Amino acid sequence: MLNGKTALVTGSTSGIGLATARMFAKNGANLMLNGFGDGGEIEKLRAGFEKEFKIKAHYSGADMSKPDEIAGMIRDAEKEFGAVDILINNAGIQHVAKIEDFPPEKWDAIIAINLSSSFHTIRTALPAMKKKKWGRIINIASAHGLVASGEKAAYVAAKHGLIGLTKVVAIEAANDGVTCNAICPGWVLTPLVQKQIDARAKAAGQKEREAEIALLSEKQPMHKFTTPEHIGNLAVFLASDAAESITGSAYSIDGGWVAQ
Ligand code: NAD
């Protein structure tokens, strides 16, 4: 379905980004991978994608908190593949603390990685998409882009901002064949969430599963995690021709979290 297209997925060495990259490769897209991790493991991943799906995969270790590295990553992808057709802004971090205890450097890092990095990838990749009259930009936001929770000031601010950015890009690119949408997951069991479960289990003296259920039921009517693969499938749909008139939307995939 996406043969000949190139998908760049930021933060694709783990969790949602990794599953999403896999889903795009499965559908025939070439990949530009990105994210942190062990060099050997990342190379195994990259080579594994090429072998399994008969596509081309490259990796950029660009740090999404560094605008010049971000621009370099987009340029490298365009050099390798001719274009970035599908841009998935996924890299993200979390820090949980009350606002008066929130370390300013954590605020800066979360805003940089979870919000500003998308401004930098989009502003660098969009001109070539517009020139080709085809492009898909998919921003991995969160239920926290639509509603708030306590102790997540930076994350909630960044994700609300990302949905705002999504809408602006959608409007500006509406007649250039480029769509821009956000995906808003609820709880997805990845390392980012596992840390929060571990912290809860420790603080409340709970077993892991008890802490999982407590975390889920606090927010979601459905007491089930969304899987990284569910997110990847939605992203592939948004990149398909069937979704060509969907733009500026924020898609909830959250077990009913924001329906309440
Ligand atoms: P994860 O921790 O499993 O993966 C995060 C990825 O981002 C990793 O590949 C990591 O290396 C990369 N990364 C972190 N900092 C980076 C930096 N400075 N430069 C480059 N790469 C960097 O997390 P995840 O749960 O898969 O989260 C992915 C996205 O989904 C995030 O934007 C997160 O906010 C969002 N999200 C997650 C959930 C959830 O429940 N897990 C829910 C809603 C939204």
Side-chain angles (χ1 to χ4, degrees):
M1 188 176 89
L2 296 169
N3 292 60
K5 301 265 195 262
T6 296
L8 185 155
V9 188
T10 70
S12 42
T13 52
S14 170
I16 292 170
L18 178 55
T20 299
R22 190 174 179 78
M23 223 48 96
F24 276 85
K26 198 172 162 189
N27 281 278
N30 293 321
L31 290 179
M32 185 62 146
L33 300 165
N34 161 259
F36 296 151
D38 173 76
E41 289 299 316
I42 293 172
E43 175 48 25
K44 242 194 258 166
L45 207 66
R46 190 203 63 74
F49 277 136
E50 287 196 335
K51 194 162 170 225
E52 185 175 354
F53 300 113
K54 313 274 175 284
I55 52 114
K56 281 209 176 327
H58 285 272
Y59 164 74
S60 162
D63 182 338
M64 291 302 105
S65 67
K66 307 225 162 84
D68 53 334
E69 292 191 22
I70 296 172
M73 172 183 73
I74 302 286
R75 275 195 302 272
D76 288 350
E78 290 177 344
K79 211 159 80 198
E80 287 296 341
F81 297 111
V84 174
D85 303 293
I86 302 154
L87 168 64
I88 299 163
N89 290 307
N90 165 80
I93 58 167
Q94 176 63 286
H95 185 78
V96 181
K98 286 205 185 304
I99 192 147
E100 60 270 37
D101 302 325
F102 214 95
E105 60 279 12
K106 290 278 183 202
W107 168 276
D108 288 344
I110 290 175
I111 297 297
I113 296 164
N114 296 19
L115 174 58
S116 302
S117 70
S118 299
F119 163 71
H120 293 294
T121 55
I122 293 169
R123 85 186 166 83
T124 317
L126 192 56
M129 288 182 178
K130 282 185 171 177
K131 211 161 148 201
K132 276 183 93 174
K133 289 271 170 212
W134 199 95
R136 295 285 188 269
I137 300 169
I138 299 164
N139 297 322
I140 306 300
S142 169
H144 282 123
L146 299 166
V147 296
S149 298
E151 304 192 0
K152 293 187 175 175
Y155 190 87
V156 169
K159 296 297 188 182
H160 274 70
L162 186 56
I163 292 179
L165 175 65
T166 302
K167 292 176 184 174
V168 173
V169 175
I171 291 167
E172 290 187 10
N175 293 303
D176 293 302
V178 179
T179 68
C180 182
N181 292 286
I183 293 179
C184 301
W187 291 124
V188 187
L189 193 53
T190 66
L192 182 138
V193 165
Q194 188 64 50
K195 280 186 211 145
Q196 296 172 61
I197 294 169
D198 294 347
R200 287 182 78 112
K202 201 169 155 205
Q206 286 169 320
K207 291 209 172 72
E208 185 88 350
R209 184 59 192 151
E210 285 168 2
E212 275 181 22
I213 298 278
L215 180 103
L216 283 167
S217 55
E218 213 172 69
K219 299 291 181 188
Q220 292 190 188
M222 193 184 286
H223 296 168
K224 240 163 82 171
F225 288 103
T226 296
T227 66
E229 290 72 25
H230 291 152
I231 315 282
N233 275 316
L234 179 53
V236 167
F237 167 69
L238 288 172
S240 72
D241 288 340
E244 73 174 19
S245 71
I246 300 175
T247 198
S249 294
Y251 268 76
S252 290
I253 173 162
D254 66 359
W257 181 328
V258 306
Q260 301 165 100

